[in-house]
């Protein structure tokens, strides 16, 4: 592969991540579709009664069914269907009559040497997920399938080739998964990360999964292609696997896009293939090549019957759905009179502080200020138990000039810790509202103490004045123990300078 | 006193305390010991286990407890039915040494009914075959003529009953594997409606076609055995959620007014004249008993064989993938996992199993699926439709079970197509999921038994058994050659 040194990139045209070739001057955009496997948080496995539990001793959560012993038969866990539908409906999918199929291939971690999955008739189809930045990413399908066991290869490189021996743990075999296949609507590595973040929030909100990337209960594969900006057709994609963190996801997409642009710019073709992300080396490597491409010989699983959830069941799932992150952002943004894509709104929902913020705004608190506090000053334990009326009162005092921003932050911290009302805390801390004449007196005293600096402040150039402004404000803050309102100090200084001039 | 020989009579006598289960079981074990060396019906005889189970039945009788409807009845189990702690081989080397940690649902139900398992019977490897010549443990011989095959794949279970080693046995029928050996050995064999008997613990050949059913020497015994094993099982998702049908109680209701159709596609070309003659004779017997006989065409049935040899191998290619040497059974070591898989499967499977795995793999392959497997599924739908149309006019259908009587060893084993044609009459019902049974009706020109097949719509077992009882009453002696 050639180096990527002749390429630059810059985020232009909004959130689109583009790569510009110095050689040709062509600008390329990234097209990404994500496939996410997540383990459903059921008590038992997909087709048997074994515990669905991470971290048990190897081969203890197994039975004839999940070991695929001869003669054993699968029985569908109804809770899997419930959780899969909950997720599907949260992703605005249609629940369709579905069937299970067998995906046939040999691998030691797969007890039956086929995986039971949904193929041409999945349970959830055609939905979407709205990213916090407003992008709508289509969801092609979200189908049910079984997980495999886990191989450990001893000796050699740690991979199956060249290992001295391999051990298989079938505890994970038969754990229920939902595979969520997103459409190629993502145009930026950061969007890919935001998609996973948002999906994780939905998985947690619906109780469908604990969605832990580090424990493997949420696994991400990225289909990456590139095309010249303006092209309507999609380029040839590569599927990137082994993405174990959001950081890996972002890095891998960026690396892979550059690799593909490099190939295309040098007149070569991108070969559709599976590639593995090597986190240490910071690059993708070819996995299974096209020549070895598997033919999975899908056919309908004859040991299971078609799955046709009743309209009543789907309606009950809908009725029980929690309010989802996108709707929570919209509600909060509307109440606060801001745009739902604002960071403060996104953060408020991520931290589960949106209901507090909504209640504070409802109690008369200024929306913008409420959000500012939530974003910057409430990343603390116990913030969610804050009394919304007290929060609103604090913001009102701040807007009225009774508290400075710095004071308000300090009071807020005490409110979270003690549960007391803001006026009581302000009184305890001696945060009296300083009237203008009192402030003027202090400033006049400081001016009198520093005639040299004052003269330079009044007569000097802008640069010098800027420096000295900091000098005077600092003195005032010191004299008032930080209780003076910075804006008011600046106003008095300006008035005095105008009078002196 | 002389020991009773039918399951019905044994159960009645044991329940009444007239004979002990132990006596009955000992007598059958003695018969096996004396005769099975030449028949080879059993892969494994469970003498100690059977004696212990019989003693437990006798203890219940002595204690005044209900020992179950099959109290003390010896039963032989096809060796593809899982038995807890007891080797289950499917007559294949690949399952060498494997002991299932669980009982098949039918095995559990039989034990619960007081039946006593006396052994595991021989079969064509993984139930693939029509002569029991494809067994890794050598062929089973037909007790009526040891130079001839017993049919297959449940040849061991059919021969065990025909030889008197057990009054009843269980087999499995994917394309005729109960009915064809029943016909060739001159016993009753029943393939129930798909889903009537749980498949849990039946080692799969072709999951959408496999069904467990009984062998017996009397229609009443098959009814008794089927009642004991049928009925919903939550462990099998394809099990029909309905109570087991009442069969024993309806046997004496006769066939007056029943409409019975002779399947014209299964009475002409390829059917031996003596076999066809016996079937017409059976139709006459039913007519004499009050049934209305007519002819019926089931056009798509002609394509049944072709569809079956795509669908069954396709499912088998997937079902048999798990025998890879990783977890149980045979392992032939090799440097890499893939090579170990290949070496194990090469050594562990016989030629017919390999042939079907290759056929099935091909039929499901990308680019061929639509032309083969997909087309076969459509044929299957047409067959169901044609049968449904036939059952609008008829309550039951009648045909030969097998085109010929029992053939000689080696006659067809090297000609797969000739062997496959043995199942031409039985396969369509498996594709439709309907019940059918074979009832002995005299012998052919060679003096070997002929079986006639009764076919019924889904869950039509009660009507089918009524007609079977009528045929049984009218049947010529088994030894009477056709002339």
């Amino acid at each position: 592969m050639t180096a990527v040194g002749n390429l630059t990139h810059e985020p232009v045209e909004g959130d689109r991540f583009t790569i510009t070739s110095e050689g040709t001057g062509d600008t390329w955009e990234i097209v990404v579709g994500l496939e996410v496997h997540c383990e459903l948080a059921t008590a038992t496995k997909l087709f048997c009664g074994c515990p669905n539990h991470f971290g048990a001793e190897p081969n203890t959560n197994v039975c004839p069914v999940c070991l695929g012993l001869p003669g054993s038969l699968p029985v569908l866990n109804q809770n899997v269907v419930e959780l899969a539908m909950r997720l599907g409906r949260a992703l605005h999918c249609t629940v369709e009559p579905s069937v299970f199929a067998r995906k046939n291939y040999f691998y030691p971690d797969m007890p039956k040497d086929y995986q039971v999955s949904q193929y041409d008739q999945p349970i959830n189809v055609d939905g979407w997920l709205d990213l916090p930045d407003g992008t709508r990413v289509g969801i092609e399908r979200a189908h049910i399938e079984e997980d495999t066991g886990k191989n450990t290869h001893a000796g050699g490189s740690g991979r199956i080739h060249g290992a001295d021996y391999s051990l298989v743990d079938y505890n994970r075999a038969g754990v229920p998964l939902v595979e969520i296949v997103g459409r190629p609507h993502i145009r930026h590595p950061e969007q890919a990360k935001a998609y996973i973040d948002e999906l994780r929030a939905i998985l947690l909100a619906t109780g469908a999964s604990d969605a832990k990337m580090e424990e493997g209960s949420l696994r991400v594969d990225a289909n990456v292609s590139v095309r010249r900006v303006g092209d309507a057709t999609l380029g040839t994609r590569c599927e990137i696997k082994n993405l174990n963190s959001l950081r890996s996801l972002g890095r891998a997409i960026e690396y892979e896009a550059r690799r593909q642009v490099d190939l295309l710019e040098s007149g070569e073709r991108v070969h559709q293939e599976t590639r593995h992300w090597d986190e240490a080396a910071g690059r993708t490597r070819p996995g299974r090549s096209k020549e070895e491409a598997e033919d999975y010989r899908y056919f309908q699983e004859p040991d299971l019957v078609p799955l046709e959830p009743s309209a009543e069941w789907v309606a009950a799932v809908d009725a029980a759905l929690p309010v989802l992150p996108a709707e929570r952002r919209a509600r909060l943004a509307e109440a606060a009179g801001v745009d739902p894509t604002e960071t403060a709104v996104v953060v408020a929902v991520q931290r589960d502080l949106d209901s507090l913020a909504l209640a504070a705004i409802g109690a008369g608190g200024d929306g913008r200020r409420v959000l500012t506090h939530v974003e910057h000053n409430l990343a603390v334990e116990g913030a969610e138990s804050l009394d919304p009326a007290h929060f609103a009162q604090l913001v009102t005092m701040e807007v009225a000039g009774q508290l400075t921003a710095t004071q308000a932050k300090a009071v807020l911290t005490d409110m979270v810790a003690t549960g007391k009302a803001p006026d009581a805390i302000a009184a305890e801390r001696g945060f009296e509202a300083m009237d203008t004449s009192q402030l003027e007196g202090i400033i006049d005293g400081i001016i009198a103490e520093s005639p040299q600096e004052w003269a330079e402040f009044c007569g000097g150039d802008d640069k010098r004045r800027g420096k000295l402004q900091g000098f005077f404000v600092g003195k005032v803050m010191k004299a008032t123990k930080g209780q003076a309102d910075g804006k008011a100090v600046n106003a008095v200084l300006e008035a005095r300078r105008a009078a002196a001039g | 006193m002389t020991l009773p020989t039918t399951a019905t009579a044994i159960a009645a006598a044991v329940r009444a305390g007239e004979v002990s289960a132990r006596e009955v079981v000992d007598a059958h074990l003695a018969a096996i010991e004396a005769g099975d060396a030449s028949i080879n019906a059993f892969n494994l005889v469970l003498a100690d286990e059977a004696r212990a189970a019989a003693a437990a039945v006798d203890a219940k009788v002595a204690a005044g407890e209900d020992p179950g409807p099959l109290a003390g009845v010896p039963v032989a189990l096809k060796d593809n039915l899982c038995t807890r702690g007891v080797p289950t081989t499917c007559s294949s080397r690949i399952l060498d040494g494997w002991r299932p940690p669980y009982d098949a649902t039918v095995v559990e139900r039989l034990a619960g009914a007081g039946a006593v398992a006396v052994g595991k019977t021989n079969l064509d490897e993984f139930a693939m075959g029509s002569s029991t010549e494809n067994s890794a443990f050598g062929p089973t011989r037909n007790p009526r003529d040891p130079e001839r095959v017993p049919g297959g794949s449940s040849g061991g279970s059919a021969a065990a009953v025909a030889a008197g080693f057990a009054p009843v046995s269980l087999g499995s029928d994917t394309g005729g594997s109960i009915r064809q050996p029943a016909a060739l050995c001159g016993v009753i064999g029943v393939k129930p409606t798909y889903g009537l008997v749980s498949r849990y613990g039946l080692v799969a050949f072709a999951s959408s076609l496999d069904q467990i059913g009984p062998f017996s020497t009397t229609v009443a015994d098959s009814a008794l055995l089927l009642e004991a094993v049928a009925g919903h099982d939550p462990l099998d998702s394809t099990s029909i959620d309905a109570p087991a049908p009442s069969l024993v109680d309806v046997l004496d209701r006769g066939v007056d007014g029943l409409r019975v159709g002779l399947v014209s596609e299964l009475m002409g070309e390829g059917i031996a004249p003596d076999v066809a003659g016996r079937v017409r004779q059976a139709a006459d017997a039913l007519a004499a008993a009050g049934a209305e006989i007519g002819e019926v065409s089931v056009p798509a049935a002609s394509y049944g064989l072709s569809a079956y040899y795509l669908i069954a191998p396709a499912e088998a290619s997937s079902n048999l993938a798990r025998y890879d040497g990783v977890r149980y059974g045979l392992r032939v070591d090799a440097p890499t996992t893939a090579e170990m898989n290949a070496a194990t499967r090469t050594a562990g499977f016989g030629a017919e199993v390999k042939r079907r795995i290759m056929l099935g793999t091909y039929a499901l392959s990308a680019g061929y699926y639509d032309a083969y497997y997909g087309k076969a599924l459509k044929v299957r739908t047409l067959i169901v439709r044609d049968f449904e149309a036939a059952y609008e006019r008829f309550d039951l259908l009648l045909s030969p079970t097998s085109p010929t009587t029992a053939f000689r060893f080696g006659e067809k084993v090297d000609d797969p197509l000739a062997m496959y044609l043995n199942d031409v009459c039985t396969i369509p019902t498996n594709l439709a999921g309907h019940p059918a049974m074979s009832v002995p009706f005299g012998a052919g020109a060679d003096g070997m038994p002929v079986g006639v097949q009764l076919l019924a719509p889904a869950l039509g077992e009660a009507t089918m058994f009524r007609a079977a009882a009528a045929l049984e009453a009218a049947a010529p002696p088994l030894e009477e050659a056709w002339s």
Side-chain angles (χ1 to χ4, degrees):
Chain A
M1 218 199 75
T2 53
V4 292
N6 63 331
L7 298 170
T8 60
H9 75 82
E10 48 187 321
V12 292
E13 298 180 52
D15 290 322
R16 196 165 57 183
F17 183 93
T18 57
I19 295 171
T20 303
S21 159
E22 281 177 359
T24 62
D26 286 355
T27 303
W28 300 78
E29 70 171 344
I30 295 180
V31 177
V32 176
L34 296 178
E35 290 176 12
V36 176
H37 286 85
C38 82
E39 290 180 356
L40 294 176
T42 51
T44 55
K45 292 186 180 181
L46 179 50
F47 297 126
C48 64
C50 288
N52 171 15
H53 171 62
F54 179 81
E57 283 294 303
N59 296 312
T60 53
N61 293 342
V62 293
C63 74
V65 174
C66 59
L67 283 177
L69 293 188
S72 67
L73 294 171
V75 177
L76 180 61
N77 180 344
Q78 293 301 298
N79 284 329
V80 169
V81 181
E82 169 82 22
L83 290 188
M85 290 199 295
R86 220 185 272 174
L87 173 62
R89 297 300 288 166
L91 293 173
H92 311 94
C93 290
T94 310
V95 171
E96 297 276 3
S98 58
V99 299
F100 289 90
R102 292 185 185 177
K103 180 180 182 178
N104 295 286
Y105 64 101
F106 283 90
Y107 209 71
D109 67 6
M110 214 163 41
K112 302 181 294 290
D113 287 299
Y114 58 79
Q115 180 193 27
V116 178
S117 178
Q118 295 190 312
Y119 178 52
D120 50 1
Q121 290 173 264
I123 180 165
N124 299 303
V125 299
D126 209 15
W128 74 80
L129 180 152
D130 284 334
L131 298 185
D133 73 2
T135 306
R136 176 161 290 186
V137 180
I139 304 290
E140 188 183 315
R141 54 191 286 160
H143 68 258
I144 301 168
E145 62 184 31
E146 61 178 340
D147 209 342
T148 62
K150 249 182 163 167
N151 289 339
T152 307
H153 306 296
S157 62
R159 303 193 56 163
I160 191 164
H161 295 291
D164 295 333
Y165 61 91
S166 301
L167 301 171
V168 197
D169 175 8
Y170 292 107
N171 281 348
R172 204 180 66 177
V175 161
L177 295 176
V178 165
E179 180 178 352
I180 303 135
V181 181
R183 295 191 190 279
H185 294 164
I186 291 170
R187 296 286 178 271
H188 194 294
E190 290 305 316
Q191 263 184 350
K193 290 153 83 170
Y195 173 91
I196 299 302
D197 262 339
E198 186 70 8
L199 185 57
R200 191 154 54 185
I202 292 170
L203 287 165
L204 292 173
T206 53
S209 176
D210 62 9
K212 290 179 181 165
M213 246 176 141
E214 64 279 11
E215 285 184 9
S217 67
L218 188 147
R219 286 165 249 159
V220 183
D221 300 332
N223 286 300
V224 179
S225 65
V226 296
R227 63 180 172 190
R228 285 188 175 81
V229 170
D231 278 2
T233 54
L234 293 171
T236 303
R237 67 177 191 272
C238 289
E239 186 179 11
I240 315 301
K241 290 186 177 288
N242 196 34
L243 302 169
N244 297 322
S245 66
L246 287 186
R247 184 178 130 83
S248 298
L249 174 65
R251 289 181 70 203
I253 291 171
E254 193 172 335
Y255 171 86
E256 178 61 18
R258 291 169 180 285
R259 187 189 72 87
Q260 292 183 15
V261 168
D262 240 21
L263 279 174
L264 296 167
E265 289 262 328
S266 55
E268 292 178 56
R269 283 182 25 227
V270 174
H271 294 282
Q272 187 169 334
E273 63 183 351
T274 300
R275 299 180 66 87
H276 292 271
W277 172 246
D278 182 336
E279 178 69 33
R283 54 168 297 181
T284 63
R285 298 178 192 282
R288 222 180 273 132
S289 80
K290 204 177 179 185
E291 289 73 35
E292 298 167 52
E294 300 254 12
D295 175 359
Y296 293 120
R297 305 190 311 281
Y298 284 99
F299 72 104
Q300 188 173 331
E301 161 61 291
D303 287 331
L304 291 167
V305 292
L307 173 58
E308 295 177 45
S310 65
E312 290 75 28
W313 193 1
V314 178
V317 166
D318 284 349
L321 275 187
V323 183
L324 298 166
E327 194 184 335
R328 286 164 60 186
R329 287 194 297 270
R331 283 186 191 179
L332 178 57
E334 194 187 346
V338 302
D339 194 275
T341 61
E342 280 208 16
T343 308
V345 175
V346 176
V347 167
V349 171
Q350 272 173 0
R351 290 191 189 146
D352 270 334
L353 293 176
D354 51 324
S355 35
L356 169 68
L358 276 174
I361 294 166
D366 175 72
R368 172 68 63 188
R369 289 228 176 218
V370 164
L371 286 183
T372 303
H373 283 299
V374 167
E375 182 183 359
H376 298 293
N377 304 330
L378 281 177
V380 290
E381 189 112 351
E384 66 286 345
S385 52
L386 196 60
D387 180 340
H390 287 170
F391 191 11
Q393 193 188 344
L394 172 84
V395 167
T396 305
M397 288 167 72
E398 195 184 350
V399 171
Q402 293 166 277
L403 290 172
T404 67
T406 314
Q407 287 171 336
K409 182 180 175 180
V411 170
L412 189 58
T413 304
D414 282 4
M415 285 163 65
V416 172
T418 66
K420 289 183 186 169
D423 47 0
I425 294 169
E428 277 171 20
R429 283 190 165 241
F431 289 166
E432 299 293 332
M434 201 172 290
D435 66 28
T436 312
S437 60
Q438 200 183 343
L439 183 61
E440 283 172 345
I442 291 167
I443 291 174
D444 288 341
I446 288 167
I447 291 174
E449 284 167 16
S450 321
Q452 181 66 32
E453 287 81 358
W454 179 247
E456 281 184 47
F457 180 77
C458 292
D461 58 13
D462 285 354
K463 200 177 163 190
R464 184 72 187 140
R465 185 178 304 135
K467 271 200 164 170
L468 284 162
Q469 179 143 358
F471 167 82
F472 282 110
V473 171
K475 287 238 172 207
V476 175
M477 288 302 173
K478 198 175 173 190
T480 60
K481 295 189 178 107
Q483 290 184 43
D485 181 352
K487 270 193 249 170
V489 174
N490 285 336
V492 171
L493 284 172
E494 196 50 38
R496 289 291 183 271
R497 190 180 71 86
Chain B
M1 70 176 279
T2 321
L3 290 173
T5 55
T6 68
T8 305
I10 290 168
V14 170
R15 289 171 62 85
E18 293 161 12
V19 297
S20 70
R22 181 61 194 264
E23 289 174 82
V24 172
V25 165
D26 279 341
H28 285 90
L29 289 172
I32 294 168
E33 175 122 13
D36 198 43
S38 58
I39 302 297
N40 196 31
F42 287 94
N43 287 343
L44 181 66
V45 178
L46 299 168
D48 294 344
E49 295 88 338
R51 289 194 179 101
V57 169
D58 289 334
K60 277 194 175 177
V61 174
E65 293 169 30
D66 185 350
L70 292 172
V73 173
V75 55
L77 303 170
K78 190 176 182 179
D79 202 12
N80 59 356
L81 295 169
C82 287
T83 40
R84 187 186 177 94
V86 172
T88 298
T89 69
C90 296
S91 289
S92 178
R93 281 184 294 270
I94 205 145
L95 277 168
D96 187 30
W98 183 59
R99 290 164 190 260
Y102 66 102
D103 275 330
T105 296
V106 291
V107 172
E108 211 166 63
R109 287 186 181 180
L110 283 179
V116 176
V118 292
K120 308 290 295 284
T121 60
N122 200 7
L123 61 149
D124 284 302
E125 185 178 6
F126 282 101
M128 297 177 188
S130 308
S131 67
T132 319
E133 287 169 288
N134 299 330
S135 166
F137 309 128
T140 296
R141 295 182 177 277
N142 190 322
R144 314 277 178 201
D145 177 355
E147 299 306 310
R148 294 173 191 263
V149 303
S153 65
S154 312
S157 286
V161 170
F165 298 154
V168 287
S169 63
L170 285 180
S172 65
D173 189 315
T174 306
S177 280
I178 291 174
R179 291 160 288 162
Q180 185 258 13
L184 270 50
C185 290
V187 297
I188 313 279
V190 185
K191 199 283 289 187
T193 301
Y194 184 80
L196 186 66
V197 179
S198 169
R199 291 184 294 117
Y200 192 80
L202 166 65
V203 180
F205 159 18
S207 313
S208 76
L209 302 161
D210 297 341
Q211 189 63 194
I212 297 166
F215 288 94
S216 63
T217 56
T218 68
V219 172
D221 276 5
S222 272
L224 186 67
L225 198 62
L226 185 52
E227 279 185 4
V229 296
H232 184 243
D233 178 11
L235 297 179
D236 176 357
S237 307
T238 63
S239 162
I240 295 168
D241 195 0
S246 265
L247 301 172
V248 174
D249 288 349
V250 304
L251 294 177
D252 59 359
R253 289 195 188 168
V255 294
D256 198 26
L258 278 187
R259 301 162 303 165
V260 179
L262 263 174
V263 182
S264 47
E265 283 81 3
L266 301 178
M267 287 299 287
E269 198 190 338
I271 307 298
D274 52 346
V275 172
R278 285 297 188 193
V279 175
R280 289 189 198 284
Q281 196 180 10
D284 293 344
L286 288 174
E292 297 167 26
I293 307 294
E295 285 236 350
V296 63
S297 174
V298 184
S302 318
Y303 304 107
L305 197 70
S306 309
Y308 175 86
Y309 275 99
L310 292 165
I311 292 170
E315 293 183 14
S317 71
S318 175
N319 283 330
L320 271 63
R322 71 191 67 189
Y323 308 109
D324 58 9
V326 173
R327 289 159 297 275
Y328 45 77
L330 183 72
R331 174 188 288 180
V332 178
D333 277 319
T336 70
T337 308
E339 285 164 344
M340 184 276 284
N341 293 155
T344 299
R345 291 166 69 79
T346 300
F349 289 137
E352 183 60 29
V353 171
K354 286 175 188 163
R355 175 159 36 239
R356 298 207 195 186
I357 289 173
M358 285 188 281
L359 275 174
T361 302
Y362 186 76
L364 288 173
S365 295
Y368 298 98
Y369 180 100
D370 290 341
Y372 295 113
Y373 185 73
K375 185 74 66 77
L377 290 182
K378 287 176 187 161
V379 171
R380 188 173 190 174
T381 305
L382 290 179
I383 288 173
V384 172
R385 204 176 293 166
D386 283 358
F387 270 120
E388 276 169 2
Y391 287 123
E392 279 172 19
R393 294 171 50 215
F394 295 97
D395 301 302
L396 297 170
L397 306 182
L398 188 67
S399 81
T401 303
S402 174
T404 65
T405 57
F407 45 94
R408 292 174 194 279
F409 285 102
E411 212 173 293
K412 298 182 180 178
V413 74
D414 294 324
D415 184 351
L417 278 182
M419 189 71 90
Y420 295 172
L421 279 167
N422 259 284
D423 297 329
V424 69
C425 302
T426 47
I427 275 171
T429 42
N430 293 86
L431 291 169
H434 295 163
M437 66 193 285
S438 182
V439 181
F441 207 81
D446 55 5
M448 292 300 290
V450 169
V452 298
Q453 182 179 220
L454 284 163
L455 302 85
L459 295 175
E461 273 84 358
T463 312
M464 183 173 82
F465 269 86
R466 281 166 57 195
L471 283 177
E472 182 177 48
L478 213 52
E479 300 76 24
E480 185 188 291
W482 173 258
S483 58

